[in-house]
Amino acid sequence: MASPTAAPRAFIQQQNLVEQVADYLTQAIIQQHFLPGERLSEVQLSRDLGVSRAPVREAARLLESRGLLISKPRRGFFVRALNAVELEDVFDLRLCLERHGIERLAERYTADAQRALKQQVEVLCEAAAGNDGTRRIEEDLQFHRLMLHYAGNERLLRAFDDLSHELRLCITLITKTHEAPDTIATSHFKLLDALDSGNPAACREAIDYHIGVARDFVVKGVGETGDSDDEDVLPR
Amino acid sequence: MASPTAAPRAFIQQQNLVEQVADYLTQAIIQQHFLPGERLSEVQLSRDLGVSRAPVREAARLLESRGLLISKPRRGFFVRALNAVELEDVFDLRLCLERHGIERLAERYTADAQRALKQQVEVLCEAAAGNDGTRRIEEDLQFHRLMLHYAGNERLLRAFDDLSHELRLCITLITKTHEAPDTIATSHFKLLDALDSGNPAACREAIDYHIGVARDFVVKGVGETGDSDDEDVLPR
DNA sequence: CGATTGCCGACTGTCGACAGTTTTACCAAG
DNA sequence: CTTGGTAAAACTGTCGACAGTCGGCAATCG
């Protein structure tokens, strides 16, 4: 249970409470103010946030659909706990989506897309040079989001957005080490080069390598925190 | 491995209004009792179903996350209307997921999986011979769901389940013609053959062809109902 | 001493109600 | 006939409350 006095975000005042509560919960989960497997009390949350239970429930349903919470009937909502297998699955699905995305993008690579992606890599490099780990992750995700955006399939992009919430969870919760800034830079420039070449096979190879590296970083973290493949902390 | 079937029908469970309302809405949308773009009134629905607005709202949020409804703040929920582009996107994402799934499955094709898939094709053929169009679609989807199930990536399966709701929408709303039973049979047996061969390229080719045919059936339907690519019926 | 049963507290699922906003209906002016 | 504005109606977002249910604890029984 969260400490009663710990109110990481200011009070909620404006409308659209559902989204605000959802954002608050998302941040709280990613920043580990709620531990994996922990049970969330609706009344407690509504008291802490100063809203009624209705928006809290709706926000929780939203987070459930995003894979951050799990609901057990008559038991309430629990923070999603990922085991090693689920972690692999998330990155495998990411690979699936991004492979398809980069190939579609290669078919319709416009100067606009090229410019936007290049600029985003610059931003990412800048972020990687700084100390804000969260921002680095966000800019990284944003680059990949841009790729899928310019791939021209809105539904594919939505699938990636859905997954990205879990991805954030994986990355933030487990990653202990940070990639070196120049590694990040070259890694992403390779993607741009592959796109420039217009060769689908090169694109696929580049994205396979890129995501493989990202996955290894996270999987390495798993080895540190747990030993069993079945360390799912979900209560029965 | 756990049973791949979606929801083991409960015994006495009469509770859980949210799911019941969600099921009702899903059926109503697919069976066109609500037209695409139509606005759903919460009070009307709660009156008709004899429940309060809270479960209706939560069910609507669920349907929104499944892509069957769209919510506009302060405006309410609207039945999702798909234009030609979105339709293409849905089938493109399906291709993305199933390509990945069948390749993963080819890597770990067990006798269990083979048996289950073969049996499901039998069931599908039987259903195709009958007149129940809905059941034919369900058995078809179930076959593909089984493929992704045995592919061994739970998250990939969930992505497919998410998409399948929209897929149902596409198929049921737009398809006017029916594939011949033997076409369906051979089409699916080709997938099994490709899997038996253990050749990833053959699998990819088979699934590409398979989904291409399915998409053409639906896209053909679109040509009948509208001419513009921009026939989105969603209100502003 | 261990297992079972009944009770208690806490919580979820659901409901009806209120306030603010959007939509619609209506009327008047051009 | 169209257009613009105003007011009523309908609807959504939110709230507090009630009842049924679940898990835990203690008293009871074997």
Side-chain angles (χ1 to χ4, degrees), chain A residues 57-58 92 104 155, chain B residues 57-58 61 92 104 166:
Chain A
R57 283 177 64 87
E58 294 191 20
D92 186 54
R104 282 278 180 270
R155 191 55 184 80
Chain B
R57 283 178 63 88
E58 294 192 20
R61 292 241 176 240
D92 186 55
R104 282 279 179 270
E166 284 168 79

Side-chain angles (χ1 to χ4, degrees), chain A residues 19-230:
Chain A
E19 266 190 44
Q20 292 186 56
V21 173
D23 285 348
Y24 166 81
L25 285 178
T26 303
Q27 288 303 315
I29 290 172
I30 287 183
Q31 294 171 13
Q32 302 205 47
H33 295 154
F34 300 126
L35 299 177
E38 181 176 338
R39 177 184 188 172
L40 297 187
S41 163
E42 295 177 5
V43 281
Q44 178 92 25
L45 279 174
S46 54
R47 263 200 301 266
D48 290 350
L49 298 177
V51 299
S52 85
R53 279 175 50 216
V56 171
R57 283 177 64 87
E58 294 191 20
R61 293 243 176 234
L62 189 62
L63 277 273
E64 183 190 12
S65 79
R66 290 180 182 169
L68 297 187
L69 293 181
I70 290 183
S71 84
K72 306 246 170 183
R74 291 279 172 200
R75 298 276 326 266
F77 291 91
F78 299 83
V79 178
R80 171 82 177 279
L82 291 162
N83 60 31
V85 174
E86 291 169 317
L87 202 102
E88 278 285 348
D89 286 355
V90 166
F91 274 89
D92 186 54
L93 178 58
R94 180 187 177 181
L95 183 64
C96 163
L97 298 179
E98 294 215 41
R99 265 184 189 168
H100 199 77
I102 202 170
E103 284 175 9
R104 282 278 180 270
L105 176 55
E107 298 168 4
R108 61 206 307 279
Y109 198 42
T110 64
D112 252 20
Q114 189 186 35
R115 198 178 318 119
L117 287 176
K118 205 153 198 163
Q119 186 191 334
Q120 181 60 28
V121 173
E122 305 286 352
V123 174
L124 170 57
C125 290
E126 185 191 332
N131 265 337
D132 189 345
T134 303
R135 191 181 157 224
R136 186 172 48 77
I137 292 171
E138 287 308 316
E139 298 298 351
D140 198 335
L141 280 177
Q142 177 62 19
F143 172 83
H144 292 273
R145 191 175 190 282
L146 270 180
M147 274 208 333
L148 295 203
H149 168 73
Y150 284 108
N153 183 335
E154 286 286 332
R155 191 55 184 80
L156 179 66
L157 180 61
R158 188 156 82 82
F160 179 78
D161 282 339
D162 281 355
L163 187 66
S164 71
H165 293 103
E166 282 167 81
L167 219 43
R168 254 183 220 101
L169 196 62
C170 296
I171 297 173
T172 334
L173 284 188
I174 298 174
T175 301
K176 300 288 191 288
T177 55
H178 292 321
E179 285 183 272
D182 53 343
T183 307
I184 292 182
T186 57
S187 179
H188 284 84
F189 274 122
K190 270 184 190 167
L191 289 175
L192 293 183
D193 289 343
L195 280 168
D196 283 334
S197 79
N199 181 358
C203 289
R204 184 184 171 111
E205 191 182 345
I207 198 71
D208 280 13
Y209 175 77
H210 186 90
I211 294 181
V213 169
R215 189 203 53 192
D216 289 344
F217 258 92
V218 173
V219 172
K220 200 190 320 179
V222 146
E224 298 172 8
T225 59
D227 33 20
S228 163
D229 265 7
D230 240 310

Side-chain angles (χ1 to χ4, degrees), chain B residues 131-144:
Chain B
N131 265 339
D132 189 346
T134 302
R135 188 178 160 227
R136 185 173 47 78
I137 292 171
E138 288 307 317
E139 299 297 351
D140 198 334
L141 280 178
Q142 177 62 15
F143 172 83
H144 292 272

Side-chain angles (χ1 to χ4, degrees), chain B residues 94-114:
Chain B
R94 180 187 177 182
L95 183 63
C96 164
L97 298 179
E98 295 214 39
R99 265 184 188 166
H100 200 76
I102 202 171
E103 285 175 9
R104 282 279 179 270
L105 176 56
E107 298 168 4
R108 62 205 308 281
Y109 197 44
T110 64
D112 251 21
Q114 188 186 36

Side-chain angles (χ1 to χ4, degrees), chain B residues 13 40 45 58 76 116 165 172 197 204:
Chain B
Q13 180 179 357
L40 296 187
L45 280 174
E58 294 192 20
H165 293 103
T172 335
S197 80
R204 185 185 170 111

Side-chain angles (χ1 to χ4, degrees), chain B residues 161-187:
Chain B
D161 282 339
D162 281 355
L163 187 67
S164 71
H165 293 103
E166 284 168 79
L167 220 43
R168 256 184 218 101
L169 195 62
C170 297
I171 297 173
T172 335
L173 284 189
I174 299 174
T175 301
K176 298 289 190 287
T177 55
H178 293 322
E179 286 184 89
D182 53 345
T183 306
I184 292 181
T186 57
S187 180

